[in-house]
Amino acid sequence: MPLQKHILVIRLSAMGDVAISVPVLRAFTEKNPDVKITVLTRTFFAPIFEHITNVSVFKADLKGEHKGVFGLYKLSKQLKALGITEIADLHNVLRTNILKTFLFGTKCVQIDKGRAEKKALVSGKIFEPLKSSHERYADVFRALGYQLDLTNPIIEPSQQFPVGFPEEFKHKPLIGIAPFAQYESKTYPLDQMKIVINLLSKDYNILLFGGGTKEQEQLEFIEKDDSNIFNVVGKFTFTQELAIISNLDLMLSMDSGNGHLAAMFGVKVITIWGNTHPYAGFVPFNQPDSHQLVPNRENYPLIPTSIFGKNVPENYKTVAGTISPTTVITCLETVLNN
């Protein structure tokens, strides 16, 4: 009897990139139901993969048991015991390359991140859409010899609201708003976002998403005086937050992980872009151009100045704020009404 094919999928971080892999894995398992997949990722991200058929998670403890070269060697031994036959490296960093060295002899394909094209995009040599990250992930599986089609996505149905979610919020359209991003250059100014939130809360129920103590405090202040606004942060586990996100009618986010989490459930996502740009390939899955709010390039011709938002010219640091609250609300209501 031939050995069952068993692919190790490596995607250790970050949250947005981990979420990007979900539609790809769903498409893969639909076309290849006899192939087993084990995703190697951090413990925190494990709930993202809970509902995908034929997919299990191996949790990497990169700050403990699997830390450093010796830890990676131990990890390789544990992975070999699973009967891995192929490796799809969707991360392609030094740590994963060391790990793959210890797994020598196993067929492996790693992602082509398109670094040269992305460098050309931020330098201004080109200004055109690059291949999406979803397709780059899919290409890894294709290079391993599998068929994969992302044009007819499989969307997971909404999950049950967790215990503790306010009952009164279940009966009106739910808009999720995630106003923060890793870098300030990708973040819509909070005073302008407050205008958006306060206007929307007159007609919709608003759920606020974020992470960390500082963000939680800021969102609690926004929530304080409006019964139509509910701050999710600090009240639920990550698994429960995913269940809540699956029930949204729309997510408004920055170029950040929350948009990708919503998109993997088929939620409509509007993204506010600052110094990064949709052309770099990180648009949330299956979201059209009309959902992308970008600063005017006639006024800021160097956009995108960065792929991830880290390197920004001084006079470009607040370009996200040039998108007016009226523009944001108009876009959002157009999407909801359609």
Side-chain angles (χ1 to χ4, degrees):
M1 184 176 178
L3 182 68
Q4 181 187 18
K5 293 194 173 183
H6 185 175
I7 302 176
L8 175 69
V9 176
I10 304 174
R11 183 65 252 188
L12 296 169
S13 61
M15 186 169 69
D17 293 309
V18 174
I20 285 171
S21 69
V22 170
V24 179
L25 292 178
R26 289 194 186 285
F28 178 91
T29 56
E30 173 73 10
K31 283 282 187 181
N32 307 278
D34 297 328
V35 181
K36 185 178 179 181
I37 286 181
T38 294
V39 177
L40 177 66
T41 195
R42 296 174 186 265
T43 300
F44 180 79
F45 299 136
I48 292 174
F49 303 97
E50 277 184 357
H51 302 282
I52 312 178
T53 305
N54 281 357
V55 173
S56 58
V57 173
F58 193 100
K59 300 169 185 176
D61 181 11
L62 299 175
K63 294 183 178 180
E65 182 183 9
H66 303 132
K67 182 178 179 180
V69 174
F70 291 108
L72 292 175
Y73 178 72
K74 182 177 182 180
L75 176 59
S76 72
K77 291 289 189 182
Q78 294 168 337
L79 293 171
K80 283 180 180 179
L82 301 178
I84 300 297
T85 60
E86 297 164 294
I87 300 171
D89 183 1
L90 306 184
H91 203 164
N92 189 9
V93 294
L94 177 61
R95 180 185 282 122
T96 64
N97 290 331
I98 293 172
L99 177 63
K100 288 181 297 185
T101 300
F102 294 138
L103 295 169
F104 178 77
T106 306
K107 183 179 180 181
C108 175
V109 175
Q110 65 185 23
I111 187 173
D112 175 5
K113 293 185 175 181
R115 290 186 174 98
E117 303 108 278
K118 290 173 181 175
K119 184 177 180 180
L121 181 66
V122 298
S123 69
K125 291 182 180 178
I126 63 171
F127 185 67
E128 59 189 37
L130 305 183
K131 181 180 290 188
S132 73
S133 292
H134 300 91
E135 284 294 340
R136 291 188 188 278
Y137 286 8
D139 283 346
V140 174
F141 293 97
R142 292 174 185 134
L144 285 171
Y146 297 96
Q147 292 186 346
L148 188 54
D149 183 5
L150 299 179
T151 57
N152 294 300
I154 303 160
I155 302 300
E156 183 177 332
S158 300
Q159 300 172 18
Q160 285 189 337
F161 286 105
V163 174
F165 186 82
E167 186 67 31
E168 63 273 19
F169 273 66
K170 300 177 183 178
H171 308 296
K172 285 173 65 177
L174 275 178
I175 297 175
I177 297 182
F180 303 107
Q182 182 178 7
Y183 297 109
E184 185 179 354
S185 68
K186 298 200 298 182
T187 304
Y188 197 57
L190 196 57
D191 58 340
Q192 291 176 252
M193 184 59 82
K194 287 177 184 176
I195 295 172
V196 172
I197 292 169
N198 290 333
L199 288 173
L200 289 173
S201 69
K202 298 180 187 303
D203 299 306
Y204 306 98
N205 283 330
I206 308 297
L207 303 181
L208 303 179
F209 294 87
T213 303
K214 183 179 178 181
E215 292 182 8
Q216 181 177 345
E217 290 173 353
Q218 290 176 301
L219 297 180
E220 286 173 350
F221 181 78
I222 295 173
E223 169 195 43
K224 186 173 58 173
D225 297 321
D226 194 324
S227 61
N228 289 336
I229 301 173
F230 182 71
N231 172 37
V232 173
V233 182
K235 298 182 176 75
F236 302 96
T237 66
F238 183 48
T239 299
Q240 291 171 326
E241 282 198 21
L242 290 176
I244 294 169
I245 288 173
S246 76
N247 286 279
L248 295 177
D249 293 277
L250 184 145
M251 171 69 88
L252 172 65
S253 75
M254 308 301 101
D255 172 20
S256 65
N258 282 290
H260 296 293
L261 292 174
M264 76 185 196
F265 289 109
V267 174
K268 297 173 182 178
V269 179
I270 294 175
T271 305
I272 298 176
W273 302 81
N275 280 275
T276 57
H277 195 277
Y279 280 8
F282 294 102
V283 171
F285 183 67
N286 210 31
Q287 305 297 320
D289 292 345
S290 59
H291 291 198
Q292 315 309 318
L293 296 176
V294 183
N296 189 331
R297 285 190 80 249
E298 290 185 7
N299 299 330
Y300 297 94
L302 299 183
I303 292 175
T305 65
S306 170
I307 295 298
F308 301 110
K310 186 175 182 180
N311 302 312
V312 182
E314 187 64 33
N315 59 334
Y316 275 64
K317 288 185 176 179
T318 58
V319 292
T322 63
I323 302 169
S324 72
T326 301
T327 298
V328 176
I329 291 169
T330 299
C331 178
L332 187 146
E333 291 189 328
T334 299
V335 172
L336 281 174
N337 291 334
N338 288 337

